[in-house]
Amino acid sequence: MSRPSGSLLRTYAREWCSVTFHHRHARVVLLTGPSGSGKSSLAARTGLPVLNLDDFYKEDGDPTLPRLPDDSATDWDSPLSWNADAAVEAIEELCRSGRTTVPLYDIASSSRTGKETIGIGRAPLFVAEGVFAADVVGRCRELGLLADALCLRGRPSTTFRRRLLRDLREGRKPVAVLLRRGWRLMRAEPGIVARQASLGAHPCGKREAYDRIVAAAAEHTNAQNNPVSTATIN
Protein backbone atom coordinates (compact mmCIF):
# COMPACT_ATOMS: atom_id res chain seq x y z
CA MET A 1 0.00 0.00 0.00
CA SER A 2 3.01 2.32 -0.11
CA ARG A 3 2.30 4.82 -2.85
CA PRO A 4 4.10 7.98 -3.95
CA SER A 5 0.76 9.80 -4.13
CA GLY A 6 0.12 9.24 -0.44
CA SER A 7 0.37 12.96 0.35
CA LEU A 8 -2.23 14.04 -2.21
CA LEU A 9 -5.18 13.96 0.16
CA ARG A 10 -3.25 15.90 2.78
CA THR A 11 -2.56 18.49 0.09
CA TYR A 12 -6.30 18.68 -0.59
CA ALA A 13 -6.91 19.00 3.14
CA ARG A 14 -4.74 22.13 3.23
CA GLU A 15 -6.64 23.56 0.27
CA TRP A 16 -10.00 23.00 2.00
CA CYS A 17 -9.10 25.61 4.61
CA SER A 18 -9.30 28.40 2.01
CA VAL A 19 -12.32 27.15 0.08
CA THR A 20 -15.50 29.21 -0.11
CA PHE A 21 -18.45 26.89 -0.43
CA HIS A 22 -21.04 28.84 -2.42
CA HIS A 23 -23.80 26.70 -0.86
CA ARG A 24 -22.35 23.41 -2.06
CA HIS A 25 -22.73 20.37 0.19
CA ALA A 26 -20.11 17.78 1.09
CA ARG A 27 -20.35 14.24 -0.26
CA VAL A 28 -19.64 10.86 1.33
CA VAL A 29 -17.60 7.85 0.27
CA LEU A 30 -19.16 4.76 1.83
CA LEU A 31 -16.47 2.20 2.63
CA THR A 32 -17.58 -1.30 3.55
CA GLY A 33 -16.28 -4.86 3.54
CA PRO A 34 -16.13 -7.88 5.85
CA SER A 35 -15.06 -7.35 9.44
CA GLY A 36 -11.25 -7.28 9.45
CA SER A 37 -10.86 -6.29 5.80
CA GLY A 38 -8.94 -3.10 6.63
CA LYS A 39 -11.64 -0.42 6.34
CA SER A 40 -10.53 1.64 9.32
CA SER A 41 -6.84 1.66 8.42
CA LEU A 42 -7.57 2.63 4.80
CA ALA A 43 -9.98 5.38 5.84
CA ALA A 44 -7.38 6.82 8.22
CA ARG A 45 -4.68 6.66 5.56
CA THR A 46 -6.65 8.86 3.16
CA GLY A 47 -6.34 11.85 5.47
CA LEU A 48 -10.05 12.62 4.96
CA PRO A 49 -12.52 13.12 7.81
CA VAL A 50 -13.94 9.75 8.89
CA LEU A 51 -17.32 8.76 10.31
CA ASN A 52 -17.25 5.40 12.12
CA LEU A 53 -20.55 3.73 11.25
CA ASP A 54 -19.99 0.85 13.70
CA ASP A 55 -20.83 3.32 16.47
CA PHE A 56 -24.45 2.99 15.36
CA TYR A 57 -24.80 -0.61 16.59
CA LYS A 58 -27.86 -1.19 18.77
CA GLU A 59 -27.28 -1.79 22.47
CA ASP A 60 -27.45 -5.18 24.13
CA GLY A 61 -30.97 -5.76 25.39
CA ASP A 62 -32.66 -3.96 22.50
CA PRO A 63 -35.73 -6.09 21.70
CA THR A 64 -35.19 -5.61 17.96
CA LEU A 65 -31.79 -7.30 17.98
CA PRO A 66 -31.63 -10.40 15.73
CA ARG A 67 -30.63 -13.83 17.05
CA LEU A 68 -28.36 -16.50 15.61
CA PRO A 69 -30.19 -19.39 13.90
CA ASP A 70 -29.73 -21.62 16.96
CA ASP A 71 -30.94 -18.78 19.24
CA SER A 72 -27.74 -19.07 21.29
CA ALA A 73 -26.79 -15.39 21.13
CA THR A 74 -27.32 -12.07 19.36
CA ASP A 75 -26.35 -12.05 15.69
CA TRP A 76 -24.10 -8.98 15.63
CA ASP A 77 -23.22 -9.69 11.99
CA SER A 78 -26.78 -9.07 10.83
CA PRO A 79 -27.60 -5.56 9.55
CA LEU A 80 -30.64 -5.72 11.83
CA SER A 81 -28.23 -5.23 14.76
CA TRP A 82 -27.42 -1.79 13.39
CA ASN A 83 -29.40 1.48 13.38
CA ALA A 84 -29.39 2.42 9.69
CA ASP A 85 -31.79 5.34 10.16
CA ALA A 86 -29.52 7.03 12.70
CA ALA A 87 -26.47 6.43 10.48
CA VAL A 88 -28.13 8.05 7.46
CA GLU A 89 -29.27 10.98 9.59
CA ALA A 90 -25.67 11.57 10.74
CA ILE A 91 -24.30 11.27 7.20
CA GLU A 92 -26.88 13.73 5.88
CA GLU A 93 -26.22 16.22 8.67
CA LEU A 94 -22.47 16.07 8.05
CA CYS A 95 -23.02 16.63 4.34
CA ARG A 96 -25.47 19.50 4.82
CA SER A 97 -24.00 21.34 7.82
CA GLY A 98 -20.53 19.87 8.38
CA ARG A 99 -21.27 18.80 11.98
CA THR A 100 -23.27 16.10 13.76
CA THR A 101 -23.51 14.33 17.11
CA VAL A 102 -22.75 10.60 17.14
CA PRO A 103 -22.82 7.89 19.80
CA LEU A 104 -19.67 6.37 21.29
CA TYR A 105 -20.05 2.59 21.24
CA ASP A 106 -18.10 -0.02 23.18
CA ILE A 107 -18.13 -3.35 21.33
CA ALA A 108 -16.86 -5.31 24.34
CA SER A 109 -19.92 -4.37 26.41
CA SER A 110 -22.28 -3.90 23.42
CA SER A 111 -23.34 -0.54 24.80
CA ARG A 112 -23.13 3.17 24.21
CA THR A 113 -20.74 4.92 26.55
CA GLY A 114 -21.51 8.50 25.56
CA LYS A 115 -21.70 10.77 22.56
CA GLU A 116 -19.58 13.34 20.80
CA THR A 117 -19.94 16.09 18.25
CA ILE A 118 -17.79 15.68 15.15
CA GLY A 119 -17.19 17.98 12.22
CA ILE A 120 -15.60 17.86 8.79
CA GLY A 121 -14.65 21.52 8.62
CA ARG A 122 -14.74 22.70 5.02
CA ALA A 123 -13.84 19.33 3.54
CA PRO A 124 -15.97 18.61 0.45
CA LEU A 125 -15.64 14.87 1.02
CA PHE A 126 -15.50 12.43 3.95
CA VAL A 127 -15.40 8.67 4.44
CA ALA A 128 -18.11 6.76 6.32
CA GLU A 129 -16.82 3.26 7.04
CA GLY A 130 -18.39 0.22 8.59
CA VAL A 131 -19.47 -3.37 8.00
CA PHE A 132 -23.01 -2.29 7.12
CA ALA A 133 -22.19 0.79 5.05
CA ALA A 134 -23.52 -0.89 1.89
CA ASP A 135 -26.98 -1.03 3.47
CA VAL A 136 -27.34 2.75 3.10
CA VAL A 137 -25.86 3.16 -0.39
CA GLY A 138 -29.27 3.47 -2.01
CA ARG A 139 -30.56 5.99 0.52
CA CYS A 140 -27.43 8.15 0.29
CA ARG A 141 -27.67 8.10 -3.51
CA GLU A 142 -31.34 9.13 -3.42
CA LEU A 143 -30.48 12.01 -1.08
CA GLY A 144 -27.75 13.20 -3.46
CA LEU A 145 -25.00 12.62 -0.88
CA LEU A 146 -23.01 9.78 -2.46
CA ALA A 147 -19.59 10.29 -4.05
CA ASP A 148 -18.66 6.59 -4.22
CA ALA A 149 -19.34 3.26 -2.51
CA LEU A 150 -16.55 0.70 -2.10
CA CYS A 151 -16.33 -2.80 -0.67
CA LEU A 152 -12.90 -4.08 0.36
CA ARG A 153 -12.29 -7.70 -0.55
CA GLY A 154 -9.32 -10.01 -0.10
CA ARG A 155 -8.48 -13.54 0.95
CA PRO A 156 -10.88 -14.83 3.64
CA SER A 157 -7.95 -16.46 5.49
CA THR A 158 -6.14 -13.11 5.65
CA THR A 159 -9.27 -11.35 6.84
CA PHE A 160 -9.76 -14.04 9.50
CA ARG A 161 -6.24 -13.53 10.84
CA ARG A 162 -6.47 -9.72 10.89
CA ARG A 163 -9.88 -9.76 12.52
CA LEU A 164 -8.83 -12.21 15.23
CA LEU A 165 -5.64 -10.32 16.09
CA ARG A 166 -7.54 -7.03 16.28
CA ASP A 167 -10.37 -8.43 18.38
CA LEU A 168 -7.96 -10.13 20.79
CA ARG A 169 -5.88 -6.97 21.09
CA GLU A 170 -8.95 -4.86 21.83
CA GLY A 171 -10.61 -7.47 24.06
CA ARG A 172 -13.83 -7.22 22.11
CA LYS A 173 -15.33 -10.54 23.20
CA PRO A 174 -14.22 -13.79 24.96
CA VAL A 175 -11.70 -15.84 22.95
CA ALA A 176 -14.12 -18.72 22.34
CA VAL A 177 -16.70 -16.31 20.94
CA LEU A 178 -14.13 -14.68 18.67
CA LEU A 179 -12.95 -18.01 17.28
CA ARG A 180 -16.46 -19.26 16.58
CA ARG A 181 -17.48 -15.99 14.98
CA GLY A 182 -14.25 -15.76 13.00
CA TRP A 183 -14.65 -19.23 11.55
CA ARG A 184 -18.27 -18.53 10.64
CA LEU A 185 -17.38 -15.22 8.96
CA MET A 186 -14.48 -16.73 7.04
CA ARG A 187 -16.80 -19.28 5.45
CA ALA A 188 -19.45 -16.63 4.80
CA GLU A 189 -17.08 -13.99 3.39
CA PRO A 190 -17.71 -14.56 -0.35
CA GLY A 191 -21.44 -14.23 0.28
CA ILE A 192 -20.91 -11.10 2.39
CA VAL A 193 -18.97 -9.40 -0.40
CA ALA A 194 -21.56 -10.50 -2.98
CA ARG A 195 -24.37 -9.03 -0.89
CA GLN A 196 -22.58 -5.72 -0.44
CA ALA A 197 -21.89 -5.55 -4.16
CA SER A 198 -25.58 -6.18 -4.89
CA LEU A 199 -26.41 -3.18 -2.69
CA GLY A 200 -24.21 -0.93 -4.84
CA ALA A 201 -20.71 -1.09 -3.30
CA HIS A 202 -17.90 -1.66 -5.81
CA PRO A 203 -15.78 -4.68 -4.74
CA CYS A 204 -12.04 -4.00 -4.91
CA GLY A 205 -8.70 -4.30 -3.15
CA LYS A 206 -7.16 -1.60 -0.98
CA ARG A 207 -5.07 -0.08 -3.74
CA GLU A 208 -8.00 0.43 -6.11
CA ALA A 209 -10.15 1.73 -3.25
CA TYR A 210 -7.48 4.25 -2.30
CA ASP A 211 -7.10 5.41 -5.90
CA ARG A 212 -10.86 5.88 -6.27
CA ILE A 213 -11.02 7.90 -3.06
CA VAL A 214 -8.11 10.08 -4.26
CA ALA A 215 -9.95 10.64 -7.55
CA ALA A 216 -13.20 11.52 -5.75
CA ALA A 217 -11.34 13.93 -3.44
CA ALA A 218 -9.73 15.66 -6.43
CA GLU A 219 -13.04 15.92 -8.26
CA HIS A 220 -14.94 17.42 -5.35
CA THR A 221 -12.10 19.72 -4.32
CA ASN A 222 -11.99 21.11 -7.87
CA ALA A 223 -15.76 21.52 -7.84
CA GLN A 224 -15.55 23.55 -4.65
CA ASN A 225 -12.69 25.69 -5.95
CA ASN A 226 -14.44 26.32 -9.27
CA PRO A 227 -18.14 26.72 -8.49
CA VAL A 228 -20.64 27.30 -11.26
CA SER A 229 -21.83 30.91 -11.28
CA THR A 230 -25.61 31.08 -11.14
CA ALA A 231 -25.44 34.46 -12.87
CA THR A 232 -24.64 32.74 -16.17
CA ILE A 233 -27.65 30.41 -16.03
CA ASN A 234 -30.83 31.61 -17.75
Side-chain angles (χ1 to χ4, degrees), residues 4-68:
S5 59
S7 63
L8 284 178
L9 289 174
R10 289 171 178 80
T11 300
Y12 299 145
R14 290 195 298 270
E15 293 177 0
W16 294 335
C17 295
S18 61
V19 170
T20 300
F21 270 81
H22 300 277
H23 305 291
R24 289 182 179 270
H25 299 307
R27 295 292 181 268
V28 63
V29 173
L30 293 174
L31 181 61
T32 189
S35 175
S37 58
K39 299 179 295 297
S40 298
S41 59
L42 177 62
R45 184 172 176 266
T46 67
L48 290 166
V50 177
L51 173 64
N52 180 11
L53 295 178
D54 288 350
D55 279 332
F56 293 92
Y57 267 109
K58 298 175 183 178
E59 293 190 276
D60 193 21
D62 188 313
T64 66
L65 282 170
R67 305 288 293 179
L68 291 170

Side-chain angles (χ1 to χ4, degrees), residues 89-196:
E89 183 179 346
I91 291 170
E92 184 173 15
E93 193 167 4
L94 274 180
C95 286
R96 307 297 190 198
S97 70
R99 293 176 67 82
T100 192
T101 299
V102 298
L104 296 173
Y105 192 88
D106 177 53
I107 291 179
S109 62
S110 303
S111 64
R112 295 182 178 183
T113 59
K115 60 183 180 180
E116 67 174 345
T117 299
I118 64 172
I120 62 172
R122 295 180 174 179
L125 195 73
F126 66 96
V127 177
E129 63 92 4
V131 292
F132 302 126
D135 286 79
V136 297
V137 169
R139 292 170 65 176
C140 287
R141 182 180 289 114
E142 290 172 3
L143 291 168
L145 310 176
L146 190 66
D148 204 351
L150 307 169
C151 171
L152 293 183
R153 65 178 178 187
R155 293 185 177 184
S157 58
T158 301
T159 306
F160 171 86
R161 183 177 67 254
R162 289 173 176 167
R163 178 174 52 243
L164 182 60
L165 290 175
R166 178 203 65 194
D167 292 351
L168 289 172
R169 181 176 65 251
E170 297 179 4
R172 292 192 170 191
K173 299 292 180 184
V175 175
V177 173
L178 296 178
L179 288 172
R180 287 196 300 270
R181 175 177 179 259
W183 177 248
R184 184 175 69 250
L185 288 178
M186 184 174 69
R187 291 182 296 172
E189 186 162 322
I192 292 172
V193 172
R195 177 182 178 275
Q196 292 171 343

Side-chain angles (χ1 to χ4, degrees), residues 29 125 148-150 202 204 207-217:
V29 173
L125 195 73
D148 204 351
L150 307 169
H202 173 69
C204 57
R207 176 167 295 186
E208 181 182 353
Y210 181 85
D211 288 343
R212 286 178 67 122
I213 295 172
V214 167

